[in-house]
Amino acid sequence: MSKYYIASTVFLIALLGSLALDGTLVVPRMWYASLAALFVSITAYGTIVLRTSFFVPVQWRGSGNRIALTFDDGPLPGMTDRILSILAEHNVKATFFCIGHRMEKNPFLIKQMENEGHLLGNHTYWHGAFFNFKSASMVTRELMLTDLACFSILGRRMRLFRPPYGVTNPMIAKALKRTNHTVVGWSVRSFDTITRDPEKLFRRVTAQLKPGDIILFHDYCESTITILPRLIRHITNKGYDLVRVDELLNIKGYAGKEHDGA
Ligand SMILES: [Zn+2]
C-alpha cells in the first residue's frame, strides 16, 4: 500500500466526515479549503521528492563504508567515454542510468560500460519534458523500449530505474508495477547541471558525504568530468569503497542474473 493511497484514504475520510457533520454543525468553509490545500501540498511534495517513496518504494541510500557514483542521461560520445577512462584509470565501478534512444545510437559505449564492469539502469527512452504527464501505458512503453535497447546490445534486461527529474506519480507507479523495475534515487544531488564552477561542485559534493551515499551526476556536465579524478581520490582517501548501486543496496542489477560484481 503506497503512502499516496494512505494519504488519499485519510483525505477522503476527513472530507466525508466533515460533510456528515455539516448537517448538525456548521463546518467553516475554510476547513474544506485547508483540507484540500494540505492534501495537494503533501501530494506535490511526494511527487517531486523521490526519497519520500510516496508513490513507489525508492532505494536512495545504502549502508556500510561504501559510496556509489551514478551518472544519468548518457551515453554521449565525447563525454561518457571520458568518464569511463577516468573510472578505469582509478579502477572504480559506477552505475549509468541511460536514455534508451542514446543507447541505440551508441552501442559501443554500452558494450564498453559492460566490459569494464559498470552497471546500467533504465532512465526512460526519450527523457522528454512531458514524461511526467504520460499515461501509464506510455510510461510502460518507454521503459520497455529502453530495456529492449539494452537487451539487444548486451543480452541483459535492466532491473533498476531512475525517474527523470526524480519525479514520480500514479501513472509511473502503475507502469512500474507492470515492468517490475526497482526505483533508485540518490542521497547526494550534485546539481552539476547548473553548477559550472568545478570548485563549487567539488565542495558541494564533498561537504555532504556520508557512508552509504548515492551521488547523482550527469554524463554531459564538463564540471563533473573535471572534478571526477579528484573526487575519487578524496572519497577513497576517506576510507570509502566506491561500488555499483546493486552492490551498495544489495539488490539485483539485471533480471535473471545475480550481481556479478564485475
Ligand atoms: Zn535525467
Side-chain angles (χ1 to χ4, degrees), residues 72-73 99 123 127 163-165 218:
D72 288 11
D73 295 2
I99 298 176
H123 196 42
H127 201 293
Y165 320 108
H218 294 83

Side-chain angles (χ1 to χ4, degrees), residues 23 36 59 63 70 125 135 150-152 155-156 161 179 214 225 250:
Q59 307 239 24
S63 57
T70 66
Y125 189 81
S135 67
C150 181
F151 193 82
S152 64
R156 313 183 85 171
F161 169 65
T179 62
I214 298 174
I225 297 175
N250 198 24

Side-chain angles (χ1 to χ4, degrees), residues 70-83 96-99 102 109 113 123 127 164-165 189-196 201 216-226 228:
T70 66
F71 300 89
D72 288 11
D73 295 2
L76 291 163
M79 300 300 281
T80 307
D81 41 339
R82 289 161 64 201
I83 293 172
F96 291 83
F97 287 95
C98 297
I99 298 176
R102 290 184 176 159
L109 285 173
M113 287 173 186
H123 196 42
H127 201 293
Y165 320 108
R189 189 170 196 168
S190 66
F191 288 102
D192 55 348
T193 54
I194 51 172
T195 305
R196 304 233 167 133
L201 182 65
L216 167 65
F217 287 117
H218 294 83
D219 286 40
Y220 61 88
C221 297
E222 200 62 54
S223 51
T224 292
I225 297 175
T226 305
L228 194 54

Side-chain angles (χ1 to χ4, degrees), residues 102-254:
R102 290 184 176 159
M103 297 173 89
E104 288 176 350
K105 283 193 198 91
N106 305 291
F108 56 96
L109 285 173
I110 298 300
K111 283 180 190 155
Q112 190 181 345
M113 287 173 186
E114 165 81 355
N115 292 341
E116 295 179 358
H118 305 296
L119 176 68
L120 281 90
N122 190 322
H123 196 42
T124 74
Y125 189 81
W126 291 113
H127 201 293
F130 298 105
F131 178 76
N132 305 315
F133 298 97
K134 289 193 167 186
S135 67
S137 301
M138 290 165 89
V139 172
T140 305
R141 187 176 146 76
E142 275 218 38
L143 299 194
M144 288 176 74
L145 275 175
T146 310
D147 279 351
L148 191 62
C150 181
F151 193 82
S152 64
I153 300 164
L154 300 181
R156 313 183 85 171
R157 183 182 171 270
M158 298 180 286
R159 275 202 69 251
L160 309 185
F161 169 65
R162 176 171 280 167
Y165 320 108
V167 169
T168 49
N169 60 37
M171 288 81 79
I172 294 173
K174 197 170 173 187
L176 288 168
K177 270 195 183 143
R178 294 174 186 159
T179 62
N180 205 26
H181 287 93
T182 297
V183 178
V184 175
W186 56 81
S187 55
V188 176
R189 189 170 196 168
S190 66
F191 288 102
D192 55 348
T193 54
I194 51 172
T195 305
R196 304 233 167 133
D197 177 1
E199 210 38 55
K200 207 170 161 187
L201 182 65
F202 181 81
R203 279 202 305 272
R204 178 183 300 129
V205 172
T206 52
Q208 303 179 56
L209 286 182
K210 290 173 292 302
D213 267 336
I214 298 174
I215 310 177
L216 167 65
F217 287 117
H218 294 83
D219 286 40
Y220 61 88
C221 297
E222 200 62 54
S223 51
T224 292
I225 297 175
T226 305
I227 69 160
L228 194 54
R230 189 174 154 208
L231 181 69
I232 291 171
R233 285 194 297 273
H234 177 91
I235 291 173
T236 48
N237 286 344
K238 290 253 173 202
Y240 294 113
D241 287 330
L242 280 162
V243 296
R244 310 186 335 184
V245 290
D246 53 348
E247 189 178 339
L248 182 75
L249 300 168
N250 198 24
I251 54 176
K252 280 174 30 168
Y254 295 105

